[in-house]
């Protein structure tokens, strides 16, 4: 019963988010000097996964690569969700990839992680065809997408996690930009002063991501930063804001954990109360977003 209540509420919440996103996109002014190509590859005999490549400055040539993994609570969005954000990153001289991974309720967290690995494997195999320099690979992810890229990068650094998540790749992620990431999934469902809602939401979220008996799952104790990060983790730019009332604590906690472990990182924090959750991705045209997104590029160049 708890899961059914959660599922109904969660789907309704993201339907509302979709309506809001459509209004935002209808008002966006997008760079026109970006060439966008859409491709797909076979996940299996029944499923294809699609992605966009953004070539900035009307230039299809071999460049370093940014892979952007969209947010949306693991259950919403597609390769076009962060379109304007990807366009702007591409105009800084990168080839940018956006990806439609299988969403929650049809996939678990492990499926999404494995699909990201499939994407990067496919891009690496055909990098000459797509004009990609996969030797210099950077990841960006917002909200749930930030959680996914953090977990995936951690898996690449540890043989024990590779075994748990059935990943065999050895890719080198040069650096990450974690835009309002939500990697502490066990605390996401806690709603202050509402024990009943917290019980329903926490249970539902973890079941959605990890499976029915999530506490007994091999992933349960191998999913949050304090369990998976090591000092060899890729340099990480952590972006958040005081306007992100619900989730800014996650970024601050991540900064503390990375400092304690000895991971190179930087917290880029806006004290603007109007700078809401994933503001720099959702509204990339506003001046503060432009400044923050330039910092992403600076971080990548610093850690090339």
């Amino acid at each position: 019963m708890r899961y059914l209540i959660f599922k109904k509420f969660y789907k309704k919440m993201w339907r509302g988010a979709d309506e809001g996103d459509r209004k935002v996109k209808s008002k966006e002014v997008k760079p026109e000097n970006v060439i966008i190509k859409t491709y797909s590859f076979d996940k299996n005999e029944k499923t294809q996964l699609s992605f966009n490549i953004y070539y900035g400055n009307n230039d299809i040539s071999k460049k370093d690569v940014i892979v952007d993994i969209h947010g949306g609570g693991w259950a919403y969005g597609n390769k076009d969700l962060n379109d304007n954000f990807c366009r702007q990153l591409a105009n800084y001289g990168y080839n940018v990839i956006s990806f439609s991974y299988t969403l929650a309720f049809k996939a678990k967290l492990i499926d999404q992680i494995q699909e990201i690995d499939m994407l990067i494997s496919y891009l690496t195999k055909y990098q000459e065809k797509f004009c990609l320099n996969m030797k210099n690979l950077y990841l960006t992810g917002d909200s749930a997408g930030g959680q996914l890229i953090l977990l995936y990068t951690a898996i690449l650094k540890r043989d024990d996690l590779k075994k748990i998540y059935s990943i065999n790749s050895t890719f080198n992620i040069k650096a990450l930009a974690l835009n309002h990431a939500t990697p502490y999934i066990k605390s996401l469902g806690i709603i202050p002063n509402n024990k009943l809602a917290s019980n329903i939401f926490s249970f539902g979220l973890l079941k959605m991501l990890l499976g029915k008996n999530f506490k007994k799952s091999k992933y349960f104790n191998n999913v949050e930063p304090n369990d998976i990060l090591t000092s060899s983790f890729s340099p990480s730019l952590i972006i958040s804001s005081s306007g992100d009332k619900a989730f800014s604590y996650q970024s601050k906690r991540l900064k503390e954990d990375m400092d304690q472990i000895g991971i190179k990182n930087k917290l880029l924090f806006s004290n603007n109360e109007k700078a809401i959750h994933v503001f720099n991705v959702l509204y990339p045209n506003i001046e503060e977003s432009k400044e923050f997104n330039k910092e992403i590029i600076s971080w990548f160049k610093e850690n090339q």
Side-chain angles (χ1 to χ4, degrees):
M1 179 61 71
R2 281 184 297 176
Y3 192 59
L4 291 176
I5 295 171
F6 164 81
K7 191 173 181 180
K8 182 177 181 180
F9 170 80
Y10 208 62
K11 286 185 174 182
K12 183 178 180 180
M13 180 179 75
W14 287 110
R15 282 196 296 269
D18 183 53
E19 293 175 4
D21 284 345
R22 289 178 186 275
K23 291 179 181 179
V24 170
K25 290 179 184 298
S26 68
K27 299 177 182 179
E28 283 184 336
V29 177
K30 299 180 180 180
E32 296 181 354
N33 59 335
V34 179
I35 298 170
I36 304 171
K37 300 284 188 179
T38 299
Y39 301 95
S40 62
F41 61 92
D42 294 331
K43 177 182 178 180
N44 51 45
E45 292 181 357
K46 297 181 179 180
T47 305
Q48 281 198 323
L49 300 172
S50 60
F51 61 93
N52 292 337
I53 304 181
Y54 294 79
Y55 300 96
N57 303 306
N58 289 325
D59 176 27
I60 299 180
S61 62
K62 192 170 185 178
K63 302 185 188 77
D64 295 349
V65 178
I66 299 172
V67 173
D68 178 63
I69 302 299
H70 71 80
W74 301 273
Y76 164 72
N78 56 38
K79 60 183 175 54
D80 302 317
L81 183 62
N82 296 344
D83 179 68
N84 201 359
F85 175 71
C86 291
R87 287 171 182 257
Q88 293 194 9
L89 293 184
N91 275 338
Y92 283 104
Y94 293 81
N95 290 337
V96 179
I97 316 295
S98 63
F99 182 46
S100 291
Y101 55 86
T102 306
L103 300 175
F105 299 121
K106 292 185 178 180
K108 299 298 182 188
L109 185 64
I110 185 174
D111 300 308
Q112 296 173 340
I113 289 294
Q114 290 178 346
E115 287 179 1
I116 291 170
D117 185 62
M118 291 176 192
L119 169 71
I120 295 177
S121 297
Y122 185 80
L123 295 174
T124 301
K125 182 177 181 180
Y126 295 104
Q127 60 183 300
E128 296 302 324
K129 172 185 175 181
F130 297 134
C131 297
L132 305 174
N133 179 19
M134 295 297 288
K135 290 183 179 179
N136 286 339
L137 173 62
Y138 307 89
L139 302 184
T140 63
D142 59 288
S143 197
Q147 185 275 332
L148 288 169
I149 66 168
L150 185 142
L151 175 56
Y152 178 66
T153 303
I155 291 168
L156 294 178
K157 299 290 186 180
R158 288 177 48 178
D159 289 340
D160 57 335
L161 292 179
K162 286 183 179 181
K163 185 175 181 180
I164 290 169
Y165 286 91
S166 300
I167 299 289
N168 296 314
S169 301
T170 57
F171 304 119
N172 178 32
I173 310 301
K174 291 281 188 174
L176 284 74
L178 299 157
N179 297 298
H180 302 248
T182 53
Y184 300 92
I185 62 174
K186 297 175 189 178
S187 62
L188 282 176
I190 298 174
I191 300 171
N193 304 316
N194 195 325
K195 187 175 181 180
L196 177 60
S198 295
N199 181 282
I200 293 171
F201 202 85
S202 294
F203 174 84
L205 187 67
L206 289 170
K207 182 176 178 179
M208 178 185 77
L209 294 176
L210 303 182
K212 184 177 180 180
N213 297 313
F214 56 83
K215 287 187 177 180
K216 296 181 180 180
S217 164
K218 60 184 177 181
Y219 313 116
F220 187 71
N221 292 318
N222 293 284
V223 71
E224 291 200 332
N226 46 305
D227 296 320
I228 62 175
L229 295 181
T230 63
S231 58
S232 65
F233 192 79
S234 302
S236 298
L237 179 65
I238 305 167
I239 295 175
S240 190
S241 60
S242 57
D244 185 1
K245 302 297 185 184
F247 303 116
S248 61
Y249 78 93
Q250 293 247 334
S251 294
K252 292 176 180 177
R253 181 179 173 187
L254 181 59
K255 166 68 174 171
E256 292 174 357
D257 280 349
M258 285 190 168
D259 284 346
Q260 186 172 2
I261 294 167
I263 298 167
K264 181 180 180 180
N265 73 88
K266 178 181 178 181
L267 176 61
L268 187 62
F269 194 86
S270 170
N271 291 313
N272 182 359
E273 292 292 327
K274 294 182 180 179
I276 61 171
H277 185 59
V278 301
F279 74 92
N280 62 305
V281 177
L282 186 60
Y283 304 105
N285 287 329
I286 65 175
E287 287 306 311
E288 188 168 24
S289 294
K290 290 178 181 179
E291 291 174 10
F292 273 51
N293 293 338
K294 284 180 182 178
E295 288 292 329
I296 291 175
I297 299 302
S298 296
W299 183 257
F300 289 166
K301 290 186 180 301
E302 177 184 331
N303 293 286
Q304 187 170 346

